[in-house]
Amino acid sequence: MELTESRGHRLQPTDSDGSAMKFSLLIDGDSSGAASPAARYDEILREAQLADELGFYAWGCPEQHFAFPRMTTSAPDALLASVAARTERIKVRFSAITLHRYNHPLAVVERLSMLDNLSHGRAELSTARGNDVPTMHAFEIDPERTREIWEDSIRAVAHILNNQSDFGYKGPFWNIPDIGKGLAPETYQRPHPPLTVVGASPTSCAAAAERGLGIHFLDNYYGWDYIDSCVDAYHSADKNSAGIFDTPTDHIGFYVPSPLCATTKEDALRDGAVQAIPWFESILRQARLLWQQPGYEYTKAVEALESNYKDIDWMRKHTPSVLVGTPDEIIDTALRLQEAGVDELLLRVDGFNHELHMRTIELIGKHVIPAVGDAATKPAAAKTV
């Protein structure tokens, strides 16, 4: 992959750097097993450095509120900047910024551009409509308006990135006057860093493609058929038909909330259950709140898994959201996801303990990433007739 620099800016690559699945980390700052959030942040920086050394594609953290101790990244800019300063190659990604009224589109772009320059062109932005009920209550967000606010916000973000020296915008929710000034600084990557949106339904995947965005989706434990429906929706949509980005992003990432790699299946199942079971329970609690809200009724489907979720071996076969196993088992799952059309795994290696995090990152970096890359370069087997 070749990059061209011009006047201090880095152009986005136009040639793909291969079809191999990418592996990334997505960290919530889970301090439930650490002495304090400060101690957990120190661990996170060491984990990010190891991931950088071992060829992981991106490191990201979301904007999360009021979920201590499992989520402590209410101001992700600080952690992203710290990771950028301690690494050399790995992308640093907002994963994701919720586009509510407390995140003005102009301020979001300024934060992205600052990180992009600080990291010399390694910044990426993922956004979200936002579905956390306590956050919506605390910031006085009307759940019935989150979709329209996100829609106007992403159009404003696109307009600003497309017109960095003259970014005035007027929409149904945001009004940004033309002040005769440009971004300071403008983005390091040109025309702008890659942009994605978080989604959890085929409708969200199709909407992302139509708006020229990559998609980071999760299956909420619904299983492989649901994954296929989300990928199909993204690929079948009329790409960038909304025309809001001059340079669209074409990308499908799958979020894994419960990944753990061990040298034996027994260790993986035992240690993985510590995270996978309570994480599913939290998804179930959230779904029970959400399915009563307009636009989130689809989340009720997770209720059907209540009778099986404590059987980790069953769950990992049902859904790659429970990605626990040996390197060979994780390779098999990654290749199956790649065949389905996913090009990146976003792994929440968080919430266990630092030793298990480092072991998982090391095993995936040393064994899984090279094997999946090798598989991508091999010619397809000839079919017999």
Side-chain angles (χ1 to χ4, degrees):
M1 177 177 66
E2 294 184 358
L3 296 173
T4 304
E5 296 202 16
S6 175
R7 292 182 294 177
H9 296 286
R10 188 171 77 165
L11 297 178
Q12 286 191 45
T14 55
D15 296 328
S16 171
D17 52 359
S19 58
M21 171 81 72
K22 297 180 180 70
F23 291 80
S24 300
L25 298 181
L26 196 159
I27 305 303
D28 291 317
D30 191 329
S31 61
S32 55
S36 66
R40 178 67 191 120
Y41 298 150
D42 289 339
E43 294 174 351
I44 284 170
L45 294 176
R46 292 193 291 272
E47 293 161 14
Q49 287 176 297
L50 180 61
D52 183 50
E53 294 167 4
L54 293 176
F56 280 72
Y57 173 75
W59 186 96
C61 67
E63 177 188 13
Q64 299 280 14
H65 300 278
F66 318 119
F68 181 83
R70 297 189 67 189
M71 300 174 182
T72 64
T73 54
S74 54
D77 307 56
L79 261 180
L80 287 162
S82 296
V83 168
R86 289 165 173 80
T87 56
E88 297 179 1
R89 294 170 295 275
I90 201 165
K91 307 292 185 183
V92 281
R93 179 188 284 155
F94 290 98
S95 301
I97 294 294
T98 47
L99 295 183
H100 289 324
R101 67 180 184 180
Y102 56 80
N103 273 329
H104 192 289
L106 181 54
V108 169
V109 174
E110 287 182 322
R111 292 157 64 189
L112 171 66
S113 184
M114 182 82 175
L115 182 65
D116 199 36
N117 280 272
L118 180 67
S119 65
H120 290 244
R122 290 187 282 140
E124 296 190 2
L125 173 65
S126 186
T127 68
R129 169 185 169 191
N131 60 9
D132 182 66
V133 174
T135 297
M136 288 191 283
H137 286 169
F139 288 99
E140 299 182 297
I141 304 299
D142 182 351
E144 295 190 26
R145 298 199 67 192
T146 58
R147 191 183 301 277
E148 63 180 286
I149 295 171
W150 177 86
E151 179 70 40
D152 195 42
S153 296
I154 198 63
R155 288 177 178 272
V157 166
H159 181 80
I160 296 165
L161 288 171
N162 291 338
N163 305 276
Q164 296 190 32
S165 61
D166 181 19
F167 50 71
Y169 173 83
K170 185 172 181 60
F173 190 83
W174 296 107
N175 180 34
I176 305 173
D178 183 357
I179 60 172
K181 299 284 187 179
L183 290 181
E186 296 185 357
T187 59
Y188 188 89
Q189 296 174 78
R190 288 308 183 93
H192 54 73
L195 282 91
T196 53
V197 61
V198 174
S201 69
T203 300
S204 296
C205 291
E210 291 164 357
R211 285 153 184 78
L213 295 163
I215 183 72
H216 289 163
F217 80 100
L218 58 158
D219 73 337
N220 277 327
Y221 301 91
Y222 300 154
W224 288 97
D225 289 344
Y226 190 83
I227 290 169
D228 288 338
S229 67
C230 288
V231 174
D232 288 345
Y234 186 83
H235 285 312
S236 300
D238 188 1
K239 294 292 179 62
N240 204 32
S241 56
I244 63 174
F245 282 100
D246 292 344
T247 305
T249 302
D250 189 1
H251 158 60
I252 302 180
F254 180 75
Y255 171 61
V256 181
S258 305
L260 187 129
C261 191
T263 54
T264 69
K265 174 183 175 181
E266 292 72 22
D267 286 347
L269 292 176
R270 182 194 66 240
D271 294 337
V274 173
Q275 174 81 346
I277 290 175
W279 190 264
F280 176 86
E281 290 171 340
S282 71
I283 291 292
L284 183 62
R285 287 194 298 272
Q286 185 181 53
R288 284 174 172 155
L289 293 173
L290 278 177
W291 67 54
Q292 302 172 30
Q293 303 289 344
Y296 294 100
E297 294 84 359
Y298 68 90
T299 60
K300 191 173 178 62
V302 74
E303 189 178 32
L305 300 177
E306 278 193 272
S307 60
N308 291 301
Y309 77 90
K310 292 186 178 181
D311 183 346
I312 300 303
D313 199 24
W314 185 92
M315 285 291 284
R316 71 177 187 153
K317 294 171 184 174
H318 172 73
T319 168
S321 283
V322 182
L323 186 64
V324 298
T326 64
D328 285 343
E329 290 170 325
I330 290 180
I331 289 166
D332 290 341
T333 302
L335 291 175
R336 183 175 176 183
L337 282 164
Q338 181 173 271
E339 185 178 356
V342 172
D343 57 67
E344 182 183 352
L345 287 183
L346 299 93
L347 307 175
R348 187 189 186 270
V349 183
D350 203 3
F352 295 100
N353 60 58
H354 182 52
E355 181 181 353
L356 290 181
H357 300 156
M358 295 291 274
R359 184 190 71 186
T360 292
I361 293 168
E362 183 174 15
L363 289 172
I364 291 176
K366 289 185 175 180
H367 302 288
V368 178
I369 293 176
V372 173
D374 288 344
T377 62
K378 291 178 181 178
K383 295 183 178 180
T384 57
V385 180

